Amino acid sequence: MQSIAIRRIGTPKTIIIRSSFTLVIVAAVMIWLAGQGTLTVTPGTVAVIALSSTFFVAGYTVFMRGFEVGEVSIISHVTSCFAVVTILLAEVFKGEALNAAQWSALVAIFAGLFLTAADLRQLKGFWRKPGLTHGLAAMSLLG
């Protein structure tokens, strides 16, 4: 559905409108949490959230821009693997070691991604597909 709005009004307008709705929803949840007494944050937590929000907005912007220039089937498949990036970052920064089965699963995810997003008859041109770089960038930033 996002690709319909993006192609009609463009990425910037779509992001602004969607973010406005998101802001209203988040504000309502924050007010509710504050009323429950469960909304407590520290400056360090705010800094981490601000940094991760920056990556999220950048990733989301690249993801949505990809819908303007590329194929939805490519961009959505590639971007959906952002959890793999999160898992790899957890291993690097948090020391959460993966076992052999988990590494095999990550390889299978990427193999599945490639097989579902690629036309095997046109492998030479796969890396030049419109929107592929947007999907890879969004996957990295959202992870």
Side-chain angles (χ1 to χ4, degrees):
M1 296 205 27
Q2 292 181 90
S3 65
I4 295 168
I6 291 167
R7 290 185 177 153
R8 287 184 182 164
I9 63 173
T11 298
K13 289 178 186 174
T14 303
I15 289 174
I16 289 169
I17 293 168
R18 184 177 181 135
S19 296
S20 298
F21 283 111
T22 302
L23 181 61
V24 169
I25 294 167
V26 170
V29 171
M30 286 179 63
I31 291 168
W32 180 77
L33 288 174
Q36 300 291 316
T38 58
L39 183 64
T40 56
V41 293
T42 64
T45 303
V46 171
V48 169
I49 292 170
L51 180 63
S52 68
S53 294
T54 302
F55 282 107
F56 176 79
V57 169
Y60 191 67
T61 302
V62 171
F63 173 66
M64 293 183 75
R65 174 72 178 129
F67 284 147
E68 275 188 75
V69 300
E71 298 175 30
V72 172
S73 62
I74 301 291
I75 297 152
S76 59
H77 273 84
V78 173
T79 303
S80 69
C81 288
F82 72 89
V84 172
V85 175
T86 304
I87 292 166
L88 295 174
L89 290 173
E91 179 166 26
V92 171
F93 292 109
K94 296 188 76 186
E96 297 180 10
L98 299 176
N99 61 36
Q102 291 167 321
W103 277 108
S104 298
L106 292 180
V107 169
I109 289 169
F110 276 114
L113 162 72
F114 180 75
L115 290 173
T116 57
D119 181 351
L120 297 178
R121 295 167 295 188
Q122 300 173 344
L123 286 180
K124 277 184 133 176
F126 177 73
W127 297 108
R128 292 185 301 274
K129 282 204 175 264
L132 178 64
T133 55
H134 291 83
L136 291 169
M139 177 186 71
S140 301
L141 290 165
L142 293 172

